[in-house]
Amino acid sequence: RTTSGTIDMAQRMVRGLARSIPWAALSAEERHGALVLIYEQLDDTAIVVLRDAEGRSLGDPVFAPPTRASTHAPIAAEALLAFEAAWTVALPGRGWTAGEPIVITGQAPLVPTALSVPGPDGAAWTLAIGFSLRGLCKELTATAPVGVTTRLLDAGGRTLCGPSLATVDPLTATADAVNGWRVVAEQPRDVAFASIRRIHRQTVFWLLVGVLAAIVAGVVLTRAIRRPLRRLAAGADALAKGALEHRVEVDGSDEFTGLATAFNRMSEEIERKTTEIRGWNADLHARVDARTAELRDAQDQLLQSRKLGAVTALGAGIAHEINNPLMGVLGMTQILLSRKDQLDERTVRNLTTIEREALRVRNIVERMSSLARDSVGDGVRLDVAQVVDAAANANASKLAAAQVEIERVFAADLPRVFGNATQLEQALSQLIDNSIRAMPTGGRLKLAIRAIEGELVTIDVVDTGRGIAPELLEKIFEPFFTTKDNWNGVGLGLTLAHRIVEVHQGRIRASSQVGTGTTMTVTLPVARRGAHLQ
């Protein structure tokens, strides 16, 4: 770690300084001064030279020859020639690169490195730096423990620092350094294991002392431990019988006092856990009650569906029987009205009333016939947002006339549902129409669509109208149910909406507060599933 840290610190220091100098803007003398500045940063910097993109030297290199006294490691002629040949390892744009260490007898190893720096006109110059391992080798030797010999090897296994070992079969440890180098620490085996043999002898001695002390202590303490043990046994028996509040008497300051204290803490923990378990049982009962309520609600929904199915089947039969004579009455009335220029005003007025009421009866008959529908028909994968928009646009004139402001809140990436767009639009139109009727003086209507865990799609129709009394919520989907105070119609709109949603394997729910508003929630399964919601 020390070796890697030293080299890394040197590289960061020199690299940061070199890249902060505008080399292309300097004169020859300034460049030489900059090279001297870099050279003086570290005593282990042996040589610094600047080259242009073609490899030509830009000024004289900065180094200390053997004949000159310097704090820097001197560089001999042989090492200088080797460095000149090695600087080419740096290529423009490569950043910081390092070559193989130069090992010269009688001189500390030299590591040639190169750093690309910006030159003029976007060209890349090369700053070649040779680092001496003189200081690193001294540090490696100085930090080695007594009796341990350390060596620094390059990637090829050459010894860069440290002496060769004369010991036969030493104990060796190796650590990786930078550039594939390794630091090898070696120690004679007899020196390495001397402390272990000493510890072994001490262990045997103290083991014998401990055995003797244990025998003496056992004889002395036998009588002292009987009373605390009886107390602990009595406490354990009390816990076994369910007396969780029982505590062992604590006196003194010996180990049995600590044991009694731990026993009391255990009793408190058992009592606390028992209380928690009882609380969990109560919570479990509450959840079971909640699930039971959900099952009861599901059963009520099933009964409601069966009752509605029976009523709608009866209504469909009655509608079929009424439809034929009704068409005759309506047809004859319209024929007579086509000749109203031959009739008096009172007769025309009576015939117009008959026609209007006959059309109203026909509308009721058609709705009753729609209740008997038990399939989606030509179902396709639908975009729910488009269906809701279509229903809102179909009631746009009613919303404007009633001064009702509409708000659309549609979630993104909604899954598609399977169904009949016309039927679903009809069901939503019924819900919107009922909301409009609940806001005779205007208000706000919110249409919101969201997905639930990618399995269900819910449509909320929220108004700010009069609201519905709680005792009426369970009846609003029954055929012909209506009150003058809350609804203005024949009482088939919500029944038809409920039937359509049910045919689409969905569910419709109502929640309301009197004076605040009503929320109608339609839940439909996504297209890939057909599970009926209960």
Side-chain angles (χ1 to χ4, degrees):
R1 288 196 298 268
T2 302
T3 302
S4 302
T6 302
I7 297 175
D8 185 59
M9 179 188 70
Q11 290 180 351
R12 288 202 308 270
M13 181 183 298
V14 175
R15 180 168 59 240
L17 177 60
R19 288 183 174 171
S20 65
I21 297 175
W23 296 96
L26 301 180
S27 63
E29 292 182 0
E30 290 172 338
R31 284 198 297 269
H32 184 75
L35 293 177
V36 172
L37 177 62
I38 293 175
Y39 179 77
E40 293 296 337
Q41 293 302 307
L42 297 169
D43 289 344
D44 288 334
T45 303
I47 183 170
V48 182
V49 61
L50 184 64
R51 304 277 184 168
D52 62 12
E54 284 74 28
R56 295 186 298 269
S57 177
L58 298 173
D60 296 331
V62 178
F63 66 96
T67 57
R68 189 179 73 189
S70 174
T71 59
H72 292 262
I75 182 169
E78 184 181 358
L80 183 60
L81 290 176
F83 178 77
E84 288 291 329
W87 75 269
T88 55
V89 298
L91 298 176
R94 287 281 301 275
W96 185 285
T97 54
E100 294 294 329
I102 300 171
V103 180
I104 304 295
T105 304
Q107 179 177 308
L110 184 69
V111 181
T113 64
L115 175 66
S116 295
V117 296
D121 300 327
W125 288 355
T126 301
L127 182 65
I129 305 172
F131 288 104
S132 173
L133 297 182
R134 179 188 62 177
L136 180 61
C137 292
K138 289 181 180 180
E139 181 182 1
L140 194 63
T141 302
T143 56
V146 178
V148 177
T149 301
T150 57
R151 292 188 295 158
L152 179 63
L153 309 180
D154 65 4
R158 294 184 302 170
T159 300
L160 302 179
C161 298
S164 59
L165 269 188
T167 305
V168 179
D169 190 23
L171 193 64
T172 304
T174 304
D176 293 332
V178 295
N179 300 327
W181 298 355
R182 292 173 297 133
V183 177
V184 178
E186 298 169 316
Q187 188 178 37
R189 289 183 177 270
D190 56 344
V191 176
F193 293 110
S195 59
I196 295 178
R197 289 193 292 270
R198 184 175 62 255
I199 293 173
H200 176 73
R201 291 192 298 269
Q202 293 176 352
T203 302
V204 172
F205 171 76
W206 287 111
L207 182 61
L208 294 175
V209 172
V211 170
L212 293 176
I215 294 174
V216 174
V219 174
V220 173
L221 298 178
T222 299
R223 296 179 181 178
I225 65 176
R226 290 180 179 177
R227 186 174 62 177
L229 287 178
R230 291 194 187 100
R231 292 177 181 175
L232 290 174
D237 186 59
L239 288 180
K241 293 179 179 179
L244 301 180
E245 71 283 355
H246 181 82
R247 300 293 181 267
V248 176
E249 181 182 353
V250 177
D251 57 355
S253 58
D254 54 12
E255 290 78 2
F256 287 101
T257 301
L259 183 59
T261 303
F263 184 88
N264 289 338
R265 286 199 301 266
M266 180 189 69
S267 301
E268 293 173 358
E269 185 67 16
I270 293 175
E271 186 177 11
R272 186 179 66 82
K273 290 296 184 181
T274 302
T275 303
E276 289 183 0
I277 291 173
R278 290 171 180 170
W280 293 339
N281 286 336
D283 181 64
L284 181 61
H285 282 297
R287 293 186 181 185
V288 170
D289 292 340
R291 291 299 183 185
T292 303
E294 292 179 3
L295 291 175
R296 189 179 297 110
D297 180 62
Q299 184 180 14
D300 292 341
Q301 289 287 332
L302 180 60
L303 294 175
Q304 175 70 14
S305 298
R306 290 178 177 176
K307 180 172 64 174
L308 183 58
V311 173
T312 53
L314 176 62
I318 296 175
H320 178 72
E321 295 298 328
I322 293 177
N323 195 52
N324 291 333
L326 178 63
M327 290 300 100
V329 172
L330 182 60
M332 291 300 297
T333 303
Q334 290 176 342
I335 291 174
L336 291 174
L337 284 175
S338 65
R339 303 173 182 176
K340 60 183 178 181
D341 54 343
Q342 303 176 11
L343 304 173
D344 59 83
E345 181 179 351
R346 180 179 179 183
T347 302
V348 171
R349 187 168 57 252
N350 291 336
L351 289 174
T352 302
T353 301
I354 293 172
E355 181 188 29
R356 183 179 67 250
E357 295 304 318
L359 289 173
R360 182 169 177 266
V361 173
R362 187 181 68 178
N363 184 41
I364 296 173
V365 169
E366 290 177 352
R367 290 193 178 188
M368 292 177 64
S369 299
S370 298
L371 293 176
R373 185 185 295 116
D374 58 358
S375 66
V376 174
D378 298 329
V380 295
R381 291 168 59 88
L382 299 176
D383 185 340
V384 181
Q386 292 181 359
V387 176
V388 175
D389 274 331
N393 294 335
N395 290 271
S397 59
K398 293 182 181 180
L399 292 167
Q403 298 181 349
V404 175
E405 180 182 354
I406 189 170
E407 176 188 4
R408 294 176 173 87
V409 182
F410 297 168
D413 300 328
L414 289 169
R416 293 179 178 270
V417 301
F418 182 82
N420 187 298
T422 303
Q423 294 179 17
L424 287 176
E425 181 182 340
Q426 183 182 10
L428 292 171
S429 293
Q430 294 294 342
L431 299 181
I432 294 173
D433 182 70
N434 276 276
S435 295
I436 294 174
R437 293 174 182 271
M439 297 181 288
T441 59
R444 187 177 186 85
L445 179 65
K446 178 180 177 181
L447 301 177
I449 312 175
R450 68 185 187 278
I452 302 177
E453 298 179 354
E455 301 292 334
L456 302 172
V457 175
T458 63
I459 307 169
D460 293 325
V461 181
V462 186
D463 63 53
T464 57
R466 303 171 181 172
I468 307 172
E471 63 273 11
L472 302 180
L473 278 177
E474 297 181 357
K475 303 179 181 180
I476 60 174
F477 295 111
E478 296 181 359
F480 303 107
F481 176 79
T482 182
T483 62
K484 295 182 179 180
D485 294 335
N486 291 280
W487 310 100
N488 296 315
V490 296
L492 285 176
L494 291 180
T495 305
L496 179 59
H498 186 282
R499 183 60 177 170
I500 292 174
V501 172
E502 186 181 57
V503 168
H504 282 76
Q505 308 302 316
R507 185 174 182 176
I508 182 170
R509 286 185 175 181
S511 60
S512 180
Q513 290 185 354
V514 176
T516 301
T518 302
T519 298
M520 294 288 183
T521 301
V522 176
T523 305
L524 299 171
V526 298
R528 64 176 178 272
R529 293 185 61 186
H532 194 285
L533 298 178
Q534 291 293 347

